Amino acid sequence: MSDLESHPDLRVAIGCSTWLGNFWVATRGALVSEVRFNLPPPVHEGDDTTGAEVARQIAAFLSGDIRAIEAPLDWSVLPTAHGAILRALYESVPWGDVVTYGELAAMAGHPGAARAAGAACRMNPFAIVAPAHRVIAAGGRLGGYGGRPDIKRLLLEREGNWKPGKRR
């Protein structure tokens, strides 16, 4: 978890139980600063409407009712390069599509930085919202996903006919 608990204006919305587990959405002001699954939520001042709305969208996404989550994300919680990479992912890789780590790095203006894209996806504070599950390794291999490639595979399969080695 990040250093969110040191911010006095932190608010946390506790999401419902989903097939992926329990989750929470942390906000500061009107921006989402973190989304996490299956971790204890940080100490907080209380819920807010932004966090509650994003939590509703995440639950709807995981139940298959919507295909995109629109959230005001606080990119400043990330190092600049990682923020650019995850922002490119959030804004440019839609439901049912996949990109490689190298392609994502190039989309963010960092060609040749596939490892940086992998690190950004690994450190992604916006679970599901910035869809790191849509980033695969070169050659169509699944790649990592927080030590849970089975979850990555399930998310990709729910979004379409993804098969290893076969890209759209």
Side-chain angles (χ1 to χ4, degrees):
M1 181 181 349
S2 68
D3 64 343
L4 286 177
E5 293 186 25
S6 65
H7 296 281
D9 58 344
L10 178 72
R11 302 286 185 261
V12 177
I14 306 299
C16 63
S17 179
T18 70
W19 66 268
L20 196 52
N22 296 321
F23 69 94
W24 47 265
V25 178
T27 59
R28 287 183 305 165
L31 299 175
V32 174
S33 52
E34 195 164 3
V35 177
R36 294 289 182 205
F37 279 80
N38 301 316
L39 291 174
V43 175
H44 60 87
E45 295 296 318
D47 295 343
D48 72 346
T49 55
T50 299
E53 171 56 21
V54 173
R56 184 198 66 73
Q57 288 184 56
I58 291 169
F61 177 84
L62 290 172
S63 68
D65 294 335
I66 64 173
R67 291 185 169 198
I69 299 168
E70 295 187 20
L73 301 177
D74 184 359
W75 301 108
S76 73
V77 300
L78 293 159
T80 304
H82 289 179
I85 289 166
L86 291 177
R87 189 174 207 150
L89 173 63
Y90 175 74
E91 294 175 351
S92 303
V93 184
W95 167 280
D97 203 0
V98 293
V99 295
T100 65
Y101 293 101
E103 289 169 339
L104 177 58
M107 289 168 61
H110 301 285
R115 287 184 185 209
C121 288
R122 228 178 354 271
M123 294 175 55
N124 183 1
F126 310 119
I128 301 295
V129 180
H133 63 277
R134 295 180 187 150
V135 186
I136 61 173
R141 291 174 292 122
L142 194 59
Y145 193 69
R148 295 295 311 268
D150 56 322
I151 297 296
K152 185 174 190 172
R153 185 178 306 107
L154 283 170
L155 287 164
L156 289 171
E157 287 172 354
R158 289 173 69 99
E159 291 189 16
N161 296 321
W162 185 84
K163 306 251 186 273
K166 185 176 187 177
R167 296 191 39 222
R168 293 175 194 232

